[in-house]
Amino acid sequence: MANWTDILLNTLKLTDEVQKLNGLTEKLSDKSIDMDKRLVRLETLVEIAKYQSQPPM
């Protein structure tokens, strides 16, 4: 059976790992938001180009 110091050390290690994962998740979220913004701009450019390439009726 683990004693209280082992439990405390494991808890501290787990807390540190969770904080690291939280930071990585936030970075990933920021990158995803940037990619979403880029995708919207590309879609807009494609739509504009599509309508400009069609002859007027």
Side-chain angles (χ1 to χ4, degrees):
M1 181 175 227
N3 59 19
W4 68 272
T5 55
D6 291 337
I7 294 171
L8 180 61
L9 288 174
N10 286 337
T11 303
L12 291 173
K13 288 177 186 176
L14 181 61
T15 301
D16 187 48
E17 289 296 317
V18 168
Q19 289 174 346
K20 286 179 186 177
L21 286 172
N22 188 33
L24 292 173
T25 303
E26 287 178 12
K27 288 180 184 177
L28 210 72
S29 175
D30 292 342
K31 286 184 179 183
S32 296
I33 290 170
D34 289 343
M35 283 190 273
D36 182 55
K37 289 178 182 178
R38 288 180 179 178
L39 182 60
V40 168
R41 287 194 298 264
L42 284 171
E43 288 174 337
T44 303
L45 288 173
V46 168
E47 289 294 319
I48 290 170
K50 186 170 88 172
Y51 287 118
Q52 286 181 346
S53 67
Q54 293 177 351
M57 292 184 181

